Structures are given as structure tokens and as C-alpha cells.
Amino acid sequence: MRKFLTAVVAVFVATAVLSFLIHGVLLQRAYQITPQLLRAPADFNAHALFLLVSFFFFALGFVWIYGARVEAKPWVAQGIRYGIAVWLIVSVSRYVSYFAIQPWSVRVVQLQIAYEFVMALLLGLIVAAIYRNAFSKAPINVPGGANA
């Protein structure tokens, strides 16, 4: 349970920081081209708590799914694979859908997907690093050995 809670907090904080960096800094100029697609700053500030709530639920689900599937395999590869899988489900599908529905430019969508790819890899590595020793305390069962 401690690993789970630690991972949820770490993923929540990393998601909040990286999302702000991506969408609040790196993509800010690109978003200003189509301001009608976003809330005005005052309106955004009035709804910012909902963004934090969404980051919490994302972190909860992200860690829960990883924790249910973690294996006694190299943690870096697991974290990268998991990050890519979540990126495909969450970011790629979302931004391609948004592109179909809203007048985002191809370039903005490409940047959203690319930046969130890096974020997904980092988040996958964070959760994998926290869970990396999940099997270290489990007894090793060797066929015909003392644990058999």
C-alpha cells in the first residue's frame, strides 16, 4: 500500500508539473492562435481545481493499472512500455479526436502528442521506479528447493 500511495502522489505531482510545462508554457503561443477553443484566464482560474481533480484521478488509475500488471522483469522496459501504452490510449486518441472535432492546427496536435509522449514515458518510468523492488521481498521458489 505504501508503494501505491507513494506512486500516486509522485505521478500526481509529475502530471501537474509536466502538464503545466507542456500546456501552460511550451504550447502557450500555439494556443493563442485559437483562443476561442480555450477558457479565458479568469474563467480558467475559476475551474483550475477541476484540473487538479482530473490529475488525481489520472494518477490513481495510472498507478492502479501498473500495480496490477507489474512483473518480475526489468523495471525500465516495463515503465517505457507502460508509458507508451497509456500515451496511445490517452494522448494520441484524445488529440486526434480533438483534431476531428475542433479547429486545431495539425502542428498543434503534433506538438501535443509529441510532448505528451515524453510525459508518458517519464510517468511510466516514475511508477516503474517506485515499484521496481516489488518482488525483492517475496521468497524465491526454486523447484525442488527448500521452499518447495
Side-chain angles (χ1 to χ4, degrees), residues 123-147:
L123 295 176
L125 289 171
I126 288 169
V127 74
I130 292 169
Y131 273 85
R132 76 176 171 256
N133 295 322
F135 296 97
S136 64
K137 294 182 176 133
I140 298 172
N141 292 319
V142 178
N147 295 335

Side-chain angles (χ1 to χ4, degrees), residues 17-135:
V17 169
L18 293 169
S19 292
F20 172 76
L21 179 63
I22 291 168
H23 301 285
V25 177
L26 297 173
L27 291 173
Q28 187 61 33
R29 291 180 95 193
Y31 289 158
Q32 290 173 349
I33 294 169
T34 52
Q36 73 278 11
L37 297 179
L38 303 170
R39 292 183 183 276
D43 194 20
F44 170 79
N45 291 337
H47 292 86
L49 180 61
F50 291 100
L51 195 55
L52 294 176
V53 169
S54 77
F55 293 159
F56 170 74
F57 284 115
F58 171 81
L60 193 65
F62 188 87
V63 173
W64 177 31
I65 293 168
Y66 183 86
R69 301 294 301 158
V70 66
E71 299 174 302
K73 293 182 178 178
W75 68 272
V76 172
Q78 281 189 87
I80 290 171
R81 257 191 331 271
Y82 184 63
I84 291 169
V86 171
W87 170 74
L88 289 169
I89 294 167
V90 174
S91 299
V92 176
S93 67
R94 176 181 50 204
Y95 291 117
V96 171
S97 293
Y98 287 175
F99 180 71
I101 297 167
Q102 298 175 315
W104 291 110
S105 72
V106 171
R107 184 67 180 145
V108 169
V109 172
Q110 289 171 336
L111 289 170
Q112 290 167 326
I113 290 171
Y115 288 144
E116 289 207 5
F117 177 71
V118 174
M119 181 169 75
L121 292 179
L122 291 172
L123 295 176
L125 289 171
I126 288 169
V127 74
I130 292 169
Y131 273 85
R132 76 176 171 256
N133 295 322
F135 296 97

